[in-house]
Amino acid sequence: MASAPSSCSTGGTGGTGGGGLHLPDTTRELVKILVAGPFGVGKTTLIDSVSEIRPLHTEEHLSELSVAVDDLAGVRDKTTTTVAIDFGRISLEAGIVLYLFGTPGQERFRSLWADISHGALGALVLIDSRRIDDSFDVLGLVEESGLPYAVALNTFPDARTYTEEQLRRSLDLEPGTSMVVCDARDTNSSIDALLALVQQLTAGHAATAAAVGPAAATGSGTGPLPETW
């Protein structure tokens, strides 16, 4: 999915918070979420489509020097790449505000992972059904970090159609891992993908609270998710 350079990004068109710079008065929970996935899968595009503030991008144009290290198979039209993070924000219902951190997809930027993932409560992992194998390394990183995650199949015009069972088997997903189909260019579709992750996190938090007893369930947290920081 092609991504616009930061100098061309308009931002502020997606989300449910009306495009305001300041947090809504109804804010109850601030949640850090990673938007992860392999190179060229549409992470920047998804953040652009939902962010209620002007997104922050750290993108550079691909050059001849990157040909030897960046595999462009399946993404020949891509001209830019994220070299640090993408950042956006979206306000959801029930006072939940998601801070979205897009992660670089190439192996050479893996050293940034620990810093970017610090404090995150979960990850939305985008995949491209034309390049399933490219998703394995990112899924491995997310699982090694212990982050709960949901999978979003970003649709491309020339992609083959697979059943959910086929995709789950290919990606070796746990039964409780949410998987949705989305179009990263479409605001509503991208929000639905993020909501699937939030619902999974909420269910996991509720199950943990129930397991450790009523005292923990009525602790310092005021909403369905614990505070990020």
Side-chain angles (χ1 to χ4, degrees), residues 110-118:
R110 288 292 189 266
S111 59
L112 300 173
W113 178 263
D115 291 332
I116 297 175
S117 62
H118 179 72

Side-chain angles (χ1 to χ4, degrees), residues 50-64:
V50 302
S51 183
E52 64 195 11
I53 60 174
R54 182 181 178 89
L56 167 68
H57 297 310
T58 55
E59 290 202 314
E60 295 293 340
H61 287 278
L62 293 170
S63 67
E64 293 182 3

Side-chain angles (χ1 to χ4, degrees), residues 4 6 9 12 24 48 52 68 70 85 95 99 107 115 117 129 133 139 170 173 176 183-184 187 198 201 207 213 222:
S6 56
S9 176
D48 274 348
E52 64 195 11
D70 292 332
I85 62 168
Y99 288 120
E107 177 66 32
D115 291 332
S117 62
S129 64
D133 290 354
L139 287 170
S170 295
L173 298 182
D183 182 341
T187 298
V198 170
L201 294 176
T222 58

Side-chain angles (χ1 to χ4, degrees), residues 7-8 12 26 29 34 66 71 74 87-88 94-95 102 112 114 118 124 139 145 147 163 166 195 213 216:
S7 60
C8 299
T26 55
E29 304 289 347
L34 301 187
S66 68
D71 184 4
F87 174 77
L112 300 173
H118 179 72
L124 181 67
L139 287 170
S145 68
L147 284 177
T163 67
Q166 289 174 319
L195 284 173

Side-chain angles (χ1 to χ4, degrees), residues 1-2 40-42 127-131 154-160:
M1 192 73 62
V41 77
I127 64 169
D128 179 352
S129 64
R130 304 170 303 175
R131 301 181 289 131
N154 192 16
T155 56
F156 291 85
D158 58 340
R160 291 181 57 187

